[in-house]
Amino acid sequence: MRNTQTNFTSNAYPPGSMLEFDAWKKAQRHPIVIYADFEALLRKSDEKCGSNHDASSNQNVEYKSIQKHEAISYDFIHWIQADDFYNDLLNNPNLLD
């Protein structure tokens, strides 16, 4: 079986360089923002995920899952801009009906 792992490196930005956003004219106002974070355990797995025919070696290749994500917790924070319209919307969800 051939090695299918590939190491990716990026030469797009030299070490220590910084990116800067300067297109403020194109920015959009987002009055409601939700930040979410999920935590998961990585459990070892040996589950078969499928197979495929490799034309170069003329063999069937089986794929196995080596890890499984098991959700253990989540958290979120919502931020709403202090604007009368959005405050009214929160207090009266049927406002847009």
Side-chain angles (χ1 to χ4, degrees):
M1 181 188 263
R2 60 190 171 148
N3 184 3
T4 57
Q5 280 189 321
T6 305
N7 292 328
F8 293 98
T9 57
S10 173
N11 298 327
Y13 302 101
S17 65
M18 293 184 66
L19 296 176
E20 184 177 342
F21 180 77
D22 59 359
W24 290 105
K25 292 179 184 177
K26 297 178 182 179
Q28 295 180 1
R29 182 176 159 216
H30 297 283
I32 299 173
V33 179
I34 299 173
Y35 299 96
D37 182 36
F38 294 86
E39 301 297 332
L41 288 175
L42 289 177
R43 302 260 189 207
K44 288 184 180 181
S45 174
D46 198 21
E47 181 181 330
K48 182 180 174 183
C49 296
S51 62
N52 197 3
H53 183 73
D54 183 9
S56 63
S57 65
N58 200 24
Q59 294 179 351
N60 282 334
V61 178
E62 289 188 357
Y63 298 100
K64 291 184 179 180
S65 170
I66 59 171
Q67 293 178 333
K68 224 175 191 164
H69 287 81
E70 182 180 318
I72 59 171
S73 67
Y74 69 92
D75 194 12
F76 68 92
I77 299 171
H78 64 278
W79 176 83
I80 300 170
Q81 184 173 347
D83 188 331
D84 289 339
F85 172 76
Y86 295 104
N87 288 333
D88 291 344
L89 184 60
L90 281 177
N91 294 326
N92 184 5
N94 298 324
L95 187 66
L96 298 178
D97 290 344

